[in-house]
Amino acid sequence: MKLKTTLFYKHGIGCLRKKGSVGMKISLLAVTAVVLMVGPADAEEFQGATLYSEPLTAQSAVEIAFRNNPRLKAKLEGLGVSSAEIARARLPRNPVVSGSIRYPKHGDGENTEISIEQNFLSLLLFPVKSQVAGAQYRQLEYRLSQEVADFTFEVKKAYYAVLAAEQKLTMRQAVFETTEAAAELAKRQREAGNVNEFFLQNEIAVSLESKLAMAQAQTQVKLQRQHLSELLGFPRRRNDWKLSGELPSIQLNDSALEDLSKTAFNDRLDLLAARKEVEIQKKNVFAGRFGILDDVDVGYQRENELDGGRLQGPQIRAGVPIFDLGRNAVLGAGARLRQSEFELAALENQVLSEVTIAHDRLFAARNTAEEYSHSIIPAKSKIVEEMQKHQNYMLIGVYTLLAAKRDEINAREEYIDSLKEYWTSRSELERATGQTLPLEK
């Protein structure tokens, strides 16, 4: 498969460096270039060559989804549809040509008349309409780029969910093996008369519960993999692809809330689109002041008389503003401007709130993961190690050791949940700020 263009990625997002910006912003044109260059046949080839050739990372999953997801392709095709409509709206109205030929009832000769008319307002406002069209196109780019950013977040979220589900399944299998061994041992000891029926049934119940938990974990893996397959663009095909390793550890350092809020306020794509909307409505208010001229047409007319004479000259046709003075159009334009300003203010508050919430979730998950990694899991592992020594000297029973091992595995499963929450929150923070966050190697 040969692509006709090259796309550079930064942590799974097609990007364009903005002067003065620390992070990387999505380049809609770059993403569109690759997405629309890959047809169904190419997608099939890309599926076979890349999807199953090596384990997926978060970045490669996003790249594959960019190339293959039909819903994303449909949205990006909307750029071409809307840009054509915008380009058409900026053009002046076409001139109107009219003509007539008349014959006298008695006598010879003919009377001919031809005229051409052009709407005056469409010519007068052509510079303003051109500016509005440019702003509308940039607004469309911003909105579609934000949808690409949202889609990127969904892919990363699904990727981390699959990683976490598969790791938790491994933990559930380990717990089941432990409880199954304990139940088998209890059965043999019951047959030998060393334990009572209550003890045996308790161990069997624990084993059955762990088996059910393992089955639920298997179902969760299947569901999460199917969801990621759909985002990758292959919902009905093979899904025996593999992921790369395990959930990565948390980053040593994460950006401060103040820096992230500033970045989001300046660079968030839907905010830029909302600011363009205010700009467009201001120009529409200016154009609306000339609405009374909308029915004014200017042109040129030539008429040939029956006697061979010719009349020609300019002409003007105008509507008489008796009922509609254009005031309502001006008031409506002003109301739409104020509406766009209020919507912008509300979105600014929403963006800052989203950044704050995502940042707080990120650091809460970070603190939880660090607590498990640095304190709880080492303590649980030390308990198992010490109990193993005691069990070797027959100071404690094997069931106590197995219970301690189950506690250690459960703690590791909680650690996996905190890692998943951390990386999901980090992806959400990227979406909320409109930039990718730096990754430490």
Side-chain angles (χ1 to χ4, degrees):
M1 177 185 60
K2 295 182 180 179
L3 296 179
K4 300 178 182 178
T5 185
T6 302
L7 174 62
F8 296 95
Y9 287 93
K10 181 70 172 177
H11 310 317
I13 302 179
C15 54
L16 174 68
R17 185 174 295 278
K18 181 180 179 183
K19 186 176 180 181
S21 176
V22 177
M24 306 296 290
K25 290 184 61 182
I26 290 175
S27 169
L28 175 65
L29 297 180
V31 174
T32 306
V34 166
V35 169
L36 299 185
M37 288 296 174
V38 181
D42 289 333
E44 180 72 22
E45 180 182 346
F46 186 78
Q47 176 194 12
T50 303
L51 189 58
Y52 306 110
S53 60
E54 56 187 29
L56 289 176
T57 64
Q59 176 177 344
S60 63
V62 172
E63 293 176 5
I64 292 171
F66 277 169
R67 288 176 169 91
N68 292 333
N69 187 278
R71 184 173 288 106
L72 179 63
K73 288 184 180 183
K75 288 182 179 180
L76 294 179
E77 284 287 3
L79 178 64
V81 175
S82 299
S83 62
E85 295 174 352
I86 291 172
R88 181 175 178 271
R90 67 182 285 270
L91 297 175
R93 296 182 189 175
N94 290 325
V96 178
V97 178
S98 61
S100 66
I101 180 170
R102 292 168 289 186
Y103 299 96
K105 186 175 183 180
H106 303 286
D108 299 327
E110 59 185 26
N111 174 262
T112 61
E113 181 179 334
I114 186 170
S115 64
I116 182 170
E117 297 178 347
Q118 173 66 52
N119 182 267
F120 175 70
L121 187 63
S122 65
L123 291 177
L124 178 66
L125 295 180
F126 178 71
V128 177
K129 284 188 174 183
S130 296
Q131 295 175 5
V132 170
Q136 287 176 330
Y137 187 80
R138 292 301 300 168
Q139 182 188 47
L140 176 64
E141 280 193 328
Y142 290 144
R143 285 176 175 170
L144 286 178
S145 296
Q146 185 60 48
E147 290 191 17
V148 172
D150 294 340
F151 177 75
T152 301
F153 165 68
E154 290 299 323
V155 174
K156 286 188 173 183
K157 180 180 178 181
Y159 173 83
Y160 294 130
V162 173
L163 267 182
E166 291 185 345
Q167 285 185 249
K168 290 176 70 174
L169 174 58
T170 301
M171 298 294 177
R172 290 292 97 197
Q173 289 171 338
V175 171
F176 172 66
E177 291 172 1
T178 301
T179 57
E180 186 180 38
E184 287 297 324
L185 178 60
K187 288 179 182 179
R188 291 195 297 268
Q189 289 185 334
R190 175 58 180 159
E191 292 172 357
N194 295 329
V195 296
N196 57 33
E197 186 66 21
F198 169 78
F199 186 89
L200 172 61
Q201 294 303 321
N202 182 68
E203 293 299 322
I204 291 176
V206 171
S207 178
L208 292 175
E209 288 175 352
S210 64
K211 183 178 181 180
L212 177 60
M214 182 181 67
Q216 292 172 338
Q218 290 172 335
T219 301
Q220 192 66 21
V221 168
K222 183 178 180 180
L223 294 176
Q224 296 296 343
R225 287 180 67 87
Q226 180 59 35
H227 178 53
L228 182 55
S229 291
E230 180 183 357
L231 293 174
L232 293 175
F234 304 105
R236 297 181 181 87
R237 301 177 184 270
R238 296 166 49 190
N239 66 347
D240 55 342
W241 37 263
K242 297 181 180 179
L243 301 187
S244 179
E246 301 178 344
L247 283 168
S249 302
I250 61 175
Q251 299 287 282
L252 295 177
N253 296 292
D254 286 302
S255 301
L257 176 59
E258 182 178 355
D259 295 335
L260 294 171
S261 299
K262 182 178 179 181
T263 299
F265 192 82
N266 293 331
D267 296 338
R268 172 85 171 249
L269 295 164
D270 51 353
L271 267 182
L272 297 178
R275 288 169 185 149
K276 280 294 179 184
E277 180 65 22
V278 173
E279 177 184 336
I280 290 169
Q281 293 305 328
K282 286 181 178 179
K283 295 184 184 299
N284 286 338
V285 168
F286 173 78
R289 297 170 183 171
F290 299 91
I292 197 172
L293 302 177
D294 188 46
D295 293 332
V296 177
D297 296 331
V298 295
Y300 178 82
Q301 183 183 48
R302 189 178 73 177
E303 180 179 0
N304 294 324
E305 298 286 348
L306 291 174
D307 58 3
R310 175 179 295 175
L311 300 174
Q312 60 185 20
Q315 71 174 17
I316 183 171
R317 181 173 62 86
V320 180
I322 297 177
F323 303 107
D324 183 6
L325 300 177
R327 178 175 174 79
N328 291 329
V330 173
L331 293 175
R336 285 189 290 273
L337 172 59
R338 293 189 297 274
Q339 181 185 41
S340 65
E341 290 173 339
F342 287 131
E343 289 176 347
L344 173 59
L347 184 58
E348 288 175 343
N349 291 334
Q350 176 185 330
V351 166
L352 294 179
S353 177
E354 289 179 358
V355 172
T356 302
I357 292 173
H359 183 270
D360 290 346
R361 288 182 58 190
L362 175 71
F363 273 82
R366 178 190 183 89
N367 293 335
T368 301
E370 287 179 338
E371 187 67 23
Y372 272 102
S373 177
H374 299 159
S375 302
I376 297 177
I377 292 179
K380 295 286 186 180
S381 299
K382 187 65 175 178
I383 291 173
V384 172
E385 181 183 347
E386 292 300 320
M387 281 191 172
Q388 182 68 60
K389 295 177 181 178
H390 283 65
Q391 201 274 331
N392 291 339
Y393 291 104
M394 303 183 69
L395 298 177
I396 60 173
V398 65
Y399 299 103
T400 305
L401 175 62
L402 292 176
K405 187 61 179 177
R406 288 200 304 270
D407 289 342
E408 180 191 6
I409 295 174
N410 290 333
R412 293 185 183 276
E413 186 175 350
E414 294 294 331
Y415 173 62
I416 291 172
D417 285 334
S418 64
L419 281 182
K420 173 192 170 185
E421 179 67 18
Y422 172 83
W423 286 104
T424 301
S425 299
R426 205 170 192 275
S427 300
E428 170 63 22
L429 197 55
E430 289 181 336
R431 188 201 67 80
T433 57
Q435 70 163 13
T436 59
L437 302 178
L439 283 174
E440 300 159 355
K441 295 184 179 180

